[in-house]
Each structure stands twice: as structure tokens, then as C-alpha cells.
Amino acid sequence: MASLSRTLRFAALIRPSAVLSVVPRAATVGCLHTLTSRESRLSNTTLLSAITKATSGVRSYSAKEPLTLDLIQQRVMLVLKLYDKVNPDKLAVDSHFMQDLGLDSLDHVEVIMAMEDEFGFEIPDGDAEKLLRPADIIRYVADKEDIYE
Amino acid sequence: MTRDYSLVIMFMLRTEALKLYRNILRQLNNLPDKEQRKEIKDWARSDFEAHRHHEDENTIRSLLYQGQKQLEELEKSIRRANS
């Protein structure tokens, strides 16, 4: 009995169908077997499905995560919230950096640089000086990344 | 009329100063050490703040020129540090 359970435990590590062929169908052993094989089958399939999900699917060339307007907004607002000179209570999508949030032009330069770091592309000076609200930045990034909704 | 002209000049100088600040920050991205980056950024910011109040065109121009020279030095030393 002990050796049987030992073989069963070892066999449960291998694929369940292999276990079925090896272990004789005694009632108690059968119960134990279905329990362990169910949970190992479960872990096998979830592992397998995780692998297939990760490797198959859409081709990702220079893989950037898919952007949506909502995601851009979340990221822009997060960067602004993390900026220590911004008061998060006053921050809204259409708050003006200088008039509502009390930032100055040097802070504005720092904010735009932070946005460049976040989204991975450079914003030229001419465009940067026009981006005076988070809403402007969101629209600008969406334009640059060709996202329309 | 001379007053309007000087407003335009001040605007141009302000744009130049902001460009200088932006170039300094961009150059700092080439510095791998984050601590140093923050140090130099704060130092540059405090320099800009110290000279915020100037009204005279020539003072501002000479300060911008000095700033540009310091940026070039920064560029050289970063390149040397990275090579």
C-alpha cells in the first residue's frame, strides 16, 4: 500500500494519462488518483494556455503596448501626479499648468521632458510651447501615435 | 514704440533661456547615474532661478552665453565619462 501510494505520488508528477496506465484501478487509489490528477491536469492546462497565449496571437514587431485615448490620459495624469510641484487636488484634465496649477515656464519644460520620457518620443520646442494643459498633451500624443476614437 | 520692441526682445530671450534649459535636461539624459542627474538638474534650476529677475537685455544675453558655454562643457565631460 505504501509503495503503491509512493508510485502514485511520483506518477502524479508525470502526465495523468501515463498514471492511468501504470496504476491498477483499486477504489481508494482511484479516488486519490482522480483528485491529484485533477489538480495536476488543472495546473497543466493553465500553464499550457498561459504559454500559448504568450507566444501566439498578434505579431508584435517593435512591441509597444496598444495605446488607447483612455490609456494615454491615465499615463499623462499619472506623470503629472508624480511631479512634486503639482498639487494633485487641483489637477484636472483641463487645468492650465501656469494659471491653475501655478507652474512656471521652467516647470513646464520639465513636465514636457517627463512626457517625452513616458511616451518615448521627442517633442520639438515649437510644439512643446503650445501644450499648456493635460488635455493638449493627450491630444498631441494621440495625434502622434495615430489614435482616433 | 521702443517699449514694444523691447517686449519682443524679452520674449525672444525668454524663449532662448527655455531652450537652453531644455537642452541641459536633454543632455543630462545621457548621464547614466540618476543621482548625479538629479544633482546637476537641481543646480541648473537654481542657477536659472537666481537670475530670473534680470531686466537688462545685455545682462541676460551674457548670462545665456555663459550658460551655453557651460552646456558645452557638460556635453564634453559626459561624452568623456561615457567613452
Side-chain angles (χ1 to χ4, degrees):
Chain A
M1 194 63 194
S3 65
L4 202 64
S5 59
R6 221 183 303 130
T7 358
L8 176 67
R9 234 176 285 129
F10 171 72
L13 292 171
I14 329 169
R15 295 187 51 212
S17 52
V19 177
L20 273 167
S21 58
V22 165
V23 176
R25 303 215 183 184
T28 47
V29 178
C31 290
L32 194 69
H33 159 68
T34 42
L35 262 170
T36 46
S37 73
R38 196 178 301 135
E39 58 184 13
S40 60
R41 203 184 302 134
L42 201 70
S43 62
N44 271 359
T45 46
T46 48
L47 184 63
L48 195 61
S49 63
I51 295 175
T52 45
K53 227 173 268 177
T55 53
S56 74
V58 184
R59 275 162 287 173
S60 42
Y61 296 132
S62 60
K64 253 195 304 195
E65 51 189 66
L67 284 178
T68 62
L69 257 186
D70 195 51
L71 186 61
I72 298 177
Q73 176 166 328
Q74 280 176 39
R75 287 167 74 178
V76 167
M77 297 311 275
L78 183 63
V79 169
L80 286 172
K81 278 193 198 119
L82 293 175
Y83 186 52
D84 56 357
K85 298 205 181 113
V86 158
N87 183 355
D89 304 325
K90 296 208 186 117
L91 182 65
V93 183
D94 59 350
S95 38
H96 194 275
F97 290 136
M98 306 192 188
Q99 289 161 14
D100 300 332
L101 299 173
L103 301 179
D104 67 5
S105 47
L106 292 175
D107 296 327
H108 181 241
V109 173
E110 290 178 23
V111 164
I112 298 293
M113 294 285 299
M115 295 297 164
E116 289 183 356
D117 280 340
E118 172 67 25
F119 292 102
F121 65 89
E122 262 198 28
I123 302 178
D125 296 358
D127 295 344
E129 66 188 16
K130 300 194 191 103
L131 304 176
L132 298 168
R133 292 168 198 270
D136 299 337
I137 300 179
I138 295 166
R139 211 178 310 130
Y140 183 80
V141 174
D143 282 347
K144 287 289 163 177
E145 302 278 348
D146 285 332
I147 298 180
Y148 306 106
E149 256 174 49
Chain B
M1 249 196 307
T2 25
R3 193 163 151 267
D4 289 341
Y5 185 51
S6 72
L7 278 179
V8 173
I9 292 187
M10 292 314 268
F11 181 72
M12 306 283 287
L13 291 175
R14 184 169 168 277
T15 318
E16 254 191 67
L18 294 176
K19 259 201 188 86
L20 179 63
Y21 190 59
R22 198 190 319 263
N23 287 337
I24 294 174
L25 293 187
R26 280 205 213 283
Q27 194 53 233
L28 286 177
N29 282 337
N30 294 335
L31 198 60
D33 183 358
K34 292 242 166 135
E35 286 299 314
Q36 271 187 325
R37 211 185 287 181
K38 181 143 199 336
E39 257 187 65
I40 303 182
K41 186 158 92 76
D42 292 340
W43 170 77
R45 179 66 193 250
S46 66
D47 260 10
F48 273 81
E49 292 284 353
H51 296 295
R52 193 190 268 264
H53 61 279
H54 288 297
E55 305 266 319
D56 174 45
E57 184 190 333
N58 290 324
T59 324
I60 298 178
R61 275 196 208 278
S62 69
L63 286 170
L64 285 175
Y65 178 77
Q66 281 176 40
Q68 185 63 34
K69 288 291 162 219
Q70 287 179 329
L71 173 61
E72 286 164 25
E73 276 308 309
L74 181 64
E75 235 172 297
K76 267 187 227 150
S77 55
I78 289 181
R79 221 178 301 147
R80 238 179 283 135
N82 284 348
S83 63

PDB file of all heavy atoms in Angstrom, chain A residues 71-94:
ATOM      1  N   LEU A  71      -5.952  55.166 -22.096  1.00  0.00           N
ATOM      2  CA  LEU A  71      -4.658  54.802 -21.521  1.00  0.00           C
ATOM      3  C   LEU A  71      -3.707  55.985 -21.538  1.00  0.00           C
ATOM      4  O   LEU A  71      -2.976  56.232 -20.585  1.00  0.00           O
ATOM      5  CB  LEU A  71      -4.071  53.621 -22.296  1.00  0.00           C
ATOM      6  CG  LEU A  71      -2.787  53.043 -21.732  1.00  0.00           C
ATOM      7  CD1 LEU A  71      -3.013  52.525 -20.340  1.00  0.00           C
ATOM      8  CD2 LEU A  71      -2.285  51.923 -22.628  1.00  0.00           C
ATOM      9  N   ILE A  72      -3.739  56.749 -22.661  1.00  0.00           N
ATOM     10  CA  ILE A  72      -2.891  57.937 -22.745  1.00  0.00           C
ATOM     11  C   ILE A  72      -3.253  58.901 -21.625  1.00  0.00           C
ATOM     12  O   ILE A  72      -2.380  59.448 -20.935  1.00  0.00           O
ATOM     13  CB  ILE A  72      -3.066  58.645 -24.105  1.00  0.00           C
ATOM     14  CG1 ILE A  72      -2.636  57.735 -25.240  1.00  0.00           C
ATOM     15  CG2 ILE A  72      -2.249  59.921 -24.146  1.00  0.00           C
ATOM     16  CD1 ILE A  72      -2.843  58.347 -26.593  1.00  0.00           C
ATOM     17  N   GLN A  73      -4.557  59.090 -21.432  1.00  0.00           N
ATOM     18  CA  GLN A  73      -4.987  60.020 -20.388  1.00  0.00           C
ATOM     19  C   GLN A  73      -4.488  59.561 -19.030  1.00  0.00           C
ATOM     20  O   GLN A  73      -3.965  60.362 -18.242  1.00  0.00           O
ATOM     21  CB  GLN A  73      -6.505  60.115 -20.387  1.00  0.00           C
ATOM     22  CG  GLN A  73      -7.023  60.974 -19.263  1.00  0.00           C
ATOM     23  CD  GLN A  73      -8.467  61.351 -19.443  1.00  0.00           C
ATOM     24  OE1 GLN A  73      -8.934  61.499 -20.567  1.00  0.00           O
ATOM     25  NE2 GLN A  73      -9.161  61.510 -18.350  1.00  0.00           N
ATOM     26  N   GLN A  74      -4.632  58.249 -18.756  1.00  0.00           N
ATOM     27  CA  GLN A  74      -4.183  57.749 -17.455  1.00  0.00           C
ATOM     28  C   GLN A  74      -2.695  57.991 -17.258  1.00  0.00           C
ATOM     29  O   GLN A  74      -2.259  58.399 -16.177  1.00  0.00           O
ATOM     30  CB  GLN A  74      -4.446  56.248 -17.371  1.00  0.00           C
ATOM     31  CG  GLN A  74      -5.866  55.888 -17.038  1.00  0.00           C
ATOM     32  CD  GLN A  74      -6.036  54.378 -17.075  1.00  0.00           C
ATOM     33  OE1 GLN A  74      -5.159  53.647 -16.646  1.00  0.00           O
ATOM     34  NE2 GLN A  74      -7.146  53.929 -17.605  1.00  0.00           N
ATOM     35  N   ARG A  75      -1.919  57.716 -18.324  1.00  0.00           N
ATOM     36  CA  ARG A  75      -0.475  57.860 -18.176  1.00  0.00           C
ATOM     37  C   ARG A  75      -0.084  59.313 -17.990  1.00  0.00           C
ATOM     38  O   ARG A  75       0.755  59.638 -17.150  1.00  0.00           O
ATOM     39  CB  ARG A  75       0.224  57.254 -19.389  1.00  0.00           C
ATOM     40  CG  ARG A  75       0.187  55.742 -19.389  1.00  0.00           C
ATOM     41  CD  ARG A  75       0.588  55.160 -20.711  1.00  0.00           C
ATOM     42  NE  ARG A  75       2.016  55.263 -20.942  1.00  0.00           N
ATOM     43  CZ  ARG A  75       2.621  54.791 -22.016  1.00  0.00           C
ATOM     44  NH1 ARG A  75       1.908  54.208 -22.962  1.00  0.00           N
ATOM     45  NH2 ARG A  75       3.914  54.914 -22.176  1.00  0.00           N
ATOM     46  N   VAL A  76      -0.707  60.209 -18.756  1.00  0.00           N
ATOM     47  CA  VAL A  76      -0.385  61.632 -18.627  1.00  0.00           C
ATOM     48  C   VAL A  76      -0.704  62.107 -17.220  1.00  0.00           C
ATOM     49  O   VAL A  76       0.104  62.767 -16.556  1.00  0.00           O
ATOM     50  CB  VAL A  76      -1.154  62.458 -19.683  1.00  0.00           C
ATOM     51  CG1 VAL A  76      -1.083  63.931 -19.364  1.00  0.00           C
ATOM     52  CG2 VAL A  76      -0.603  62.215 -21.064  1.00  0.00           C
ATOM     53  N   MET A  77      -1.897  61.747 -16.727  1.00  0.00           N
ATOM     54  CA  MET A  77      -2.289  62.217 -15.395  1.00  0.00           C
ATOM     55  C   MET A  77      -1.386  61.615 -14.327  1.00  0.00           C
ATOM     56  O   MET A  77      -1.062  62.284 -13.340  1.00  0.00           O
ATOM     57  CB  MET A  77      -3.751  61.855 -15.113  1.00  0.00           C
ATOM     58  CG  MET A  77      -4.744  62.521 -16.054  1.00  0.00           C
ATOM     59  SD  MET A  77      -4.506  64.294 -16.238  1.00  0.00           S
ATOM     60  CE  MET A  77      -5.404  64.885 -14.842  1.00  0.00           C
ATOM     61  N   LEU A  78      -0.943  60.372 -14.526  1.00  0.00           N
ATOM     62  CA  LEU A  78      -0.061  59.751 -13.534  1.00  0.00           C
ATOM     63  C   LEU A  78       1.276  60.480 -13.471  1.00  0.00           C
ATOM     64  O   LEU A  78       1.783  60.778 -12.386  1.00  0.00           O
ATOM     65  CB  LEU A  78       0.154  58.278 -13.878  1.00  0.00           C
ATOM     66  CG  LEU A  78       1.001  57.523 -12.855  1.00  0.00           C
ATOM     67  CD1 LEU A  78       0.307  57.487 -11.520  1.00  0.00           C
ATOM     68  CD2 LEU A  78       1.292  56.109 -13.337  1.00  0.00           C
ATOM     69  N   VAL A  79       1.849  60.777 -14.647  1.00  0.00           N
ATOM     70  CA  VAL A  79       3.119  61.501 -14.664  1.00  0.00           C
ATOM     71  C   VAL A  79       2.970  62.836 -13.941  1.00  0.00           C
ATOM     72  O   VAL A  79       3.828  63.241 -13.149  1.00  0.00           O
ATOM     73  CB  VAL A  79       3.597  61.733 -16.114  1.00  0.00           C
ATOM     74  CG1 VAL A  79       4.754  62.696 -16.152  1.00  0.00           C
ATOM     75  CG2 VAL A  79       3.999  60.428 -16.747  1.00  0.00           C
ATOM     76  N   LEU A  80       1.842  63.515 -14.180  1.00  0.00           N
ATOM     77  CA  LEU A  80       1.652  64.817 -13.538  1.00  0.00           C
ATOM     78  C   LEU A  80       1.468  64.671 -12.036  1.00  0.00           C
ATOM     79  O   LEU A  80       1.975  65.483 -11.261  1.00  0.00           O
ATOM     80  CB  LEU A  80       0.446  65.526 -14.163  1.00  0.00           C
ATOM     81  CG  LEU A  80       0.728  66.067 -15.559  1.00  0.00           C
ATOM     82  CD1 LEU A  80      -0.549  66.582 -16.192  1.00  0.00           C
ATOM     83  CD2 LEU A  80       1.750  67.174 -15.499  1.00  0.00           C
ATOM     84  N   LYS A  81       0.747  63.616 -11.638  1.00  0.00           N
ATOM     85  CA  LYS A  81       0.549  63.422 -10.201  1.00  0.00           C
ATOM     86  C   LYS A  81       1.867  63.153  -9.497  1.00  0.00           C
ATOM     87  O   LYS A  81       2.061  63.544  -8.347  1.00  0.00           O
ATOM     88  CB  LYS A  81      -0.405  62.252  -9.945  1.00  0.00           C
ATOM     89  CG  LYS A  81      -1.820  62.632 -10.063  1.00  0.00           C
ATOM     90  CD  LYS A  81      -2.751  61.550  -9.498  1.00  0.00           C
ATOM     91  CE  LYS A  81      -4.134  61.793 -10.052  1.00  0.00           C
ATOM     92  NZ  LYS A  81      -4.654  60.694 -10.847  1.00  0.00           N
ATOM     93  N   LEU A  82       2.786  62.453 -10.203  1.00  0.00           N
ATOM     94  CA  LEU A  82       4.066  62.123  -9.585  1.00  0.00           C
ATOM     95  C   LEU A  82       5.016  63.301  -9.548  1.00  0.00           C
ATOM     96  O   LEU A  82       6.033  63.260  -8.860  1.00  0.00           O
ATOM     97  CB  LEU A  82       4.720  60.958 -10.336  1.00  0.00           C
ATOM     98  CG  LEU A  82       4.000  59.629 -10.216  1.00  0.00           C
ATOM     99  CD1 LEU A  82       4.661  58.592 -11.099  1.00  0.00           C
ATOM    100  CD2 LEU A  82       4.025  59.147  -8.785  1.00  0.00           C
ATOM    101  N   TYR A  83       4.711  64.365 -10.303  1.00  0.00           N
ATOM    102  CA  TYR A  83       5.591  65.525 -10.339  1.00  0.00           C
ATOM    103  C   TYR A  83       5.402  66.303  -9.055  1.00  0.00           C
ATOM    104  O   TYR A  83       4.276  66.658  -8.700  1.00  0.00           O
ATOM    105  CB  TYR A  83       5.247  66.361 -11.571  1.00  0.00           C
ATOM    106  CG  TYR A  83       6.167  67.519 -11.827  1.00  0.00           C
ATOM    107  CD1 TYR A  83       7.544  67.335 -11.876  1.00  0.00           C
ATOM    108  CD2 TYR A  83       5.671  68.782 -12.050  1.00  0.00           C
ATOM    109  CE1 TYR A  83       8.385  68.386 -12.136  1.00  0.00           C
ATOM    110  CE2 TYR A  83       6.504  69.841 -12.308  1.00  0.00           C
ATOM    111  CZ  TYR A  83       7.869  69.650 -12.346  1.00  0.00           C
ATOM    112  OH  TYR A  83       8.699  70.694 -12.599  1.00  0.00           O
ATOM    113  N   ASP A  84       6.511  66.554  -8.353  1.00  0.00           N
ATOM    114  CA  ASP A  84       6.345  67.055  -6.988  1.00  0.00           C
ATOM    115  C   ASP A  84       5.837  68.485  -6.920  1.00  0.00           C
ATOM    116  O   ASP A  84       5.364  68.935  -5.873  1.00  0.00           O
ATOM    117  CB  ASP A  84       7.648  66.897  -6.200  1.00  0.00           C
ATOM    118  CG  ASP A  84       8.808  67.590  -6.894  1.00  0.00           C
ATOM    119  OD1 ASP A  84       8.612  68.133  -8.001  1.00  0.00           O
ATOM    120  OD2 ASP A  84       9.914  67.577  -6.334  1.00  0.00           O
ATOM    121  N   LYS A  85       5.946  69.244  -8.009  1.00  0.00           N
ATOM    122  CA  LYS A  85       5.492  70.626  -7.931  1.00  0.00           C
ATOM    123  C   LYS A  85       4.005  70.778  -8.228  1.00  0.00           C
ATOM    124  O   LYS A  85       3.471  71.892  -8.160  1.00  0.00           O
ATOM    125  CB  LYS A  85       6.275  71.489  -8.920  1.00  0.00           C
ATOM    126  CG  LYS A  85       7.733  71.486  -8.592  1.00  0.00           C
ATOM    127  CD  LYS A  85       8.441  72.721  -9.086  1.00  0.00           C
ATOM    128  CE  LYS A  85       9.911  72.635  -8.747  1.00  0.00           C
ATOM    129  NZ  LYS A  85      10.784  72.513  -9.890  1.00  0.00           N
ATOM    130  N   VAL A  86       3.357  69.660  -8.572  1.00  0.00           N
ATOM    131  CA  VAL A  86       1.935  69.730  -8.883  1.00  0.00           C
ATOM    132  C   VAL A  86       1.134  69.312  -7.661  1.00  0.00           C
ATOM    133  O   VAL A  86       1.436  68.305  -7.020  1.00  0.00           O
ATOM    134  CB  VAL A  86       1.607  68.815 -10.078  1.00  0.00           C
ATOM    135  CG1 VAL A  86       0.155  68.435 -10.101  1.00  0.00           C
ATOM    136  CG2 VAL A  86       1.970  69.497 -11.367  1.00  0.00           C
ATOM    137  N   ASN A  87       0.108  70.078  -7.340  1.00  0.00           N
ATOM    138  CA  ASN A  87      -0.806  69.740  -6.267  1.00  0.00           C
ATOM    139  C   ASN A  87      -1.870  68.799  -6.820  1.00  0.00           C
ATOM    140  O   ASN A  87      -2.686  69.225  -7.644  1.00  0.00           O
ATOM    141  CB  ASN A  87      -1.450  71.025  -5.738  1.00  0.00           C
ATOM    142  CG  ASN A  87      -2.355  70.757  -4.561  1.00  0.00           C
ATOM    143  OD1 ASN A  87      -2.590  69.613  -4.191  1.00  0.00           O
ATOM    144  ND2 ASN A  87      -2.875  71.823  -3.985  1.00  0.00           N
ATOM    145  N   PRO A  88      -1.889  67.517  -6.399  1.00  0.00           N
ATOM    146  CA  PRO A  88      -2.805  66.562  -7.041  1.00  0.00           C
ATOM    147  C   PRO A  88      -4.280  66.893  -6.847  1.00  0.00           C
ATOM    148  O   PRO A  88      -5.118  66.464  -7.629  1.00  0.00           O
ATOM    149  CB  PRO A  88      -2.454  65.218  -6.385  1.00  0.00           C
ATOM    150  CG  PRO A  88      -1.623  65.539  -5.211  1.00  0.00           C
ATOM    151  CD  PRO A  88      -1.036  66.880  -5.400  1.00  0.00           C
ATOM    152  N   ASP A  89      -4.600  67.701  -5.819  1.00  0.00           N
ATOM    153  CA  ASP A  89      -6.012  68.045  -5.618  1.00  0.00           C
ATOM    154  C   ASP A  89      -6.506  68.981  -6.706  1.00  0.00           C
ATOM    155  O   ASP A  89      -7.667  68.943  -7.099  1.00  0.00           O
ATOM    156  CB  ASP A  89      -6.210  68.732  -4.259  1.00  0.00           C
ATOM    157  CG  ASP A  89      -5.700  67.861  -3.131  1.00  0.00           C
ATOM    158  OD1 ASP A  89      -5.838  66.626  -3.252  1.00  0.00           O
ATOM    159  OD2 ASP A  89      -5.161  68.406  -2.159  1.00  0.00           O
ATOM    160  N   LYS A  90      -5.591  69.863  -7.189  1.00  0.00           N
ATOM    161  CA  LYS A  90      -6.036  70.841  -8.181  1.00  0.00           C
ATOM    162  C   LYS A  90      -5.961  70.282  -9.597  1.00  0.00           C
ATOM    163  O   LYS A  90      -6.371  70.930 -10.539  1.00  0.00           O
ATOM    164  CB  LYS A  90      -5.143  72.085  -8.109  1.00  0.00           C
ATOM    165  CG  LYS A  90      -5.226  72.834  -6.827  1.00  0.00           C
ATOM    166  CD  LYS A  90      -4.914  74.313  -7.019  1.00  0.00           C
ATOM    167  CE  LYS A  90      -4.856  75.014  -5.681  1.00  0.00           C
ATOM    168  NZ  LYS A  90      -3.536  75.562  -5.383  1.00  0.00           N
ATOM    169  N   LEU A  91      -5.385  69.068  -9.723  1.00  0.00           N
ATOM    170  CA  LEU A  91      -5.107  68.568 -11.065  1.00  0.00           C
ATOM    171  C   LEU A  91      -6.368  68.030 -11.725  1.00  0.00           C
ATOM    172  O   LEU A  91      -7.045  67.173 -11.177  1.00  0.00           O
ATOM    173  CB  LEU A  91      -4.045  67.461 -10.969  1.00  0.00           C
ATOM    174  CG  LEU A  91      -3.599  66.864 -12.279  1.00  0.00           C
ATOM    175  CD1 LEU A  91      -2.900  67.903 -13.106  1.00  0.00           C
ATOM    176  CD2 LEU A  91      -2.658  65.704 -12.019  1.00  0.00           C
ATOM    177  N   ALA A  92      -6.665  68.544 -12.914  1.00  0.00           N
ATOM    178  CA  ALA A  92      -7.757  68.021 -13.729  1.00  0.00           C
ATOM    179  C   ALA A  92      -7.262  67.984 -15.162  1.00  0.00           C
ATOM    180  O   ALA A  92      -6.202  68.518 -15.462  1.00  0.00           O
ATOM    181  CB  ALA A  92      -8.985  68.913 -13.615  1.00  0.00           C
ATOM    182  N   VAL A  93      -8.048  67.333 -16.023  1.00  0.00           N
ATOM    183  CA  VAL A  93      -7.581  67.172 -17.402  1.00  0.00           C
ATOM    184  C   VAL A  93      -7.454  68.512 -18.114  1.00  0.00           C
ATOM    185  O   VAL A  93      -6.615  68.699 -18.980  1.00  0.00           O
ATOM    186  CB  VAL A  93      -8.527  66.262 -18.191  1.00  0.00           C
ATOM    187  CG1 VAL A  93      -8.001  66.035 -19.587  1.00  0.00           C
ATOM    188  CG2 VAL A  93      -8.674  64.938 -17.492  1.00  0.00           C
ATOM    189  N   ASP A  94      -8.291  69.481 -17.746  1.00  0.00           N
ATOM    190  CA  ASP A  94      -8.209  70.747 -18.462  1.00  0.00           C
ATOM    191  C   ASP A  94      -7.618  71.861 -17.613  1.00  0.00           C
ATOM    192  O   ASP A  94      -7.796  73.032 -17.918  1.00  0.00           O
ATOM    193  CB  ASP A  94      -9.599  71.148 -18.954  1.00  0.00           C
ATOM    194  CG  ASP A  94     -10.563  71.294 -17.792  1.00  0.00           C
ATOM    195  OD1 ASP A  94     -10.188  70.898 -16.663  1.00  0.00           O
ATOM    196  OD2 ASP A  94     -11.678  71.801 -17.984  1.00  0.00           O
TER     197      ASP A  94
END
